[in-house]
Amino acid sequence: MSPQDRLVDGLYRLGWSTVKKLPEPVAVRLGRTLADLAWKQRGKGVQRLESNYARVVPDASPERLAELSRAGMRSYLRYWMESFRLPAWSPQRIKAAFEAKDLHHLTEGMAAGKGVILALPHLANWDLAGAWVTTQLGIPFTTVAERLKPETLYDRFVAYREGLGMEVLPHNGGAAFGILARRLRSGGLICLVADRDLSASGVEVEFFGETARMPAGPALLAQQTGAVLLPVTLWYDATPVMRGRVHPPVEVPESGTRAEKTSVMTQALADAFASGIAEHPEDWHMLQRLWLKDLDPAKSAEKGTA
């Protein structure tokens, strides 16, 4: 393991071992302080976040974008403070920490017995929403995790999420897809963060007026298994309680090739994600490149983006 990898792993280990022991008001203040320090340093992540927000709020002034990126970093650090502390939360604390609108789409889908796919963007705290599903609703589910470096850090994330009641599969293509399909055919629930393609072979969608690429997996799984596909968006407000909405099902088109159906369904997911992100842009934790123009180095240089 390289010195940098050891440092990263050590910082996360410190977070999970120390932050969860702090009184909640202290953890909240710490998160806000760290967020403000990171925002003031104007590193690549903050610059990318601000650039992404400029797509979401195209008429925003530079001052407004700066306000959004500061609020975005505070939301992002709230996610981390909560995540470090979640393993120490009681079931009662988890149940009280989240409130969902239109939950009937999920419960009715599970009652139908064909399986349910929940697809989410990087909004607010998807781990907290997952812990609430396993704790409040008593529904276990399967998810997929990006392989992080160093490997020990990935192992920590897997152990953390498994400790919250999730089955975690590595993001390694076909093997994960097959297991997810089997879970759905048995009437199970899977949850996928699906606003950023990690394979470079996803589906092109229009997203806030420009072309982005999102994973095809949710739409393909729904077609192959007959499972219900539900977009979910999350957000924070001024209270300690996170909010969320389960959107209506994304239907499989009656006609077209598999690729055509996948394109239509993935665009429907992107539209649902965009509606939630537009309402709460500061809770969208997208500190990476997303749009194709930004992923193309030549075009990125033309635009002068980080």
Side-chain angles (χ1 to χ4, degrees):
M1 187 187 299
S2 70
Q4 182 177 355
D5 285 347
R6 282 197 296 271
L7 175 62
V8 170
D9 183 61
L11 288 173
Y12 279 98
R13 183 173 67 250
L14 181 64
W16 267 301
S17 64
T18 303
V19 174
K20 68 180 180 182
K21 299 176 183 177
L22 297 175
E24 190 153 340
V26 175
V28 170
R29 288 196 299 272
L30 175 61
R32 179 162 293 201
T33 299
L34 293 175
D36 288 349
L37 286 172
W39 178 77
K40 289 176 181 177
Q41 289 176 355
R42 300 285 300 167
K44 287 185 178 180
V46 173
Q47 293 180 50
R48 173 52 51 193
L49 184 67
E50 204 163 287
S51 176
N52 289 338
Y53 286 161
R55 292 322 205 306
V56 177
V57 190
D59 58 346
S61 66
E63 293 77 16
R64 172 60 178 150
L65 286 175
E67 291 174 359
L68 273 176
S69 65
R70 184 177 189 180
M73 289 305 295
R74 287 182 172 184
S75 176
Y76 186 47
L77 264 293
R78 175 173 172 176
Y79 160 79
W80 279 112
M81 291 297 108
E82 288 178 346
S83 295
F84 287 143
R85 293 170 58 78
L86 261 175
W89 282 8
S90 68
Q92 292 73 26
R93 177 70 179 86
I94 292 173
K95 291 176 182 179
F98 180 54
E99 184 177 284
K101 296 182 178 180
D102 299 323
L103 190 62
H104 64 93
H105 293 305
L106 170 58
T107 55
E108 290 169 2
M110 292 301 296
K114 295 183 178 180
V116 172
I117 305 159
L118 297 181
L120 307 88
H122 286 80
L123 273 170
N125 191 338
W126 45 97
D127 285 330
L128 172 55
W132 185 87
V133 166
T134 60
T135 304
Q136 174 67 24
L137 303 183
I139 302 175
F141 67 87
T142 303
T143 189
V144 174
E146 178 183 0
R147 278 204 173 276
L148 302 171
K149 292 183 179 180
E151 190 74 15
T152 51
L153 179 57
Y154 171 77
D155 292 340
R156 290 186 193 283
F157 269 95
V158 170
Y160 156 64
R161 288 179 171 137
E162 288 179 342
L164 299 176
M166 313 174 192
E167 179 188 23
V168 183
L169 307 177
H171 186 276
N172 58 356
F177 187 93
I179 296 172
L180 294 172
R182 289 197 293 274
R183 298 292 183 268
L184 292 169
R185 290 193 183 99
S186 65
L189 174 67
I190 68 169
C191 301
L192 301 171
V193 180
D195 58 343
R196 179 169 169 254
D197 180 50
L198 297 175
S199 66
S201 60
V203 178
E204 291 190 2
V205 296
E206 181 179 330
F207 196 54
F208 291 104
E210 293 190 31
T211 304
R213 192 180 288 121
M214 294 188 181
L220 289 172
L221 283 166
Q223 292 177 62
Q224 185 166 315
T225 66
V228 179
L229 175 56
L230 299 173
V232 176
T233 54
L234 309 170
W235 66 93
Y236 291 127
D237 57 19
T239 74
V241 179
M242 185 177 71
R243 316 291 173 177
R245 176 178 293 111
V246 183
H247 295 254
V250 172
E251 303 291 346
V252 178
E254 294 183 0
S255 61
T257 64
R258 186 171 77 162
E260 290 169 342
K261 292 178 180 179
T262 301
S263 178
V264 170
M265 295 172 73
T266 306
Q267 182 63 61
L269 281 180
D271 292 343
F273 294 166
S275 70
I277 293 167
E279 290 177 358
H280 306 279
E282 68 278 5
D283 291 325
W284 189 40
H285 307 151
M286 185 55 66
L287 281 73
Q288 299 83 20
R289 302 176 189 270
L290 181 72
W291 282 273
L292 297 192
K293 285 184 179 180
D294 295 339
L295 293 168
D296 183 324
K299 293 181 179 178
S300 178
E302 291 172 7
K303 292 181 63 180
T305 53

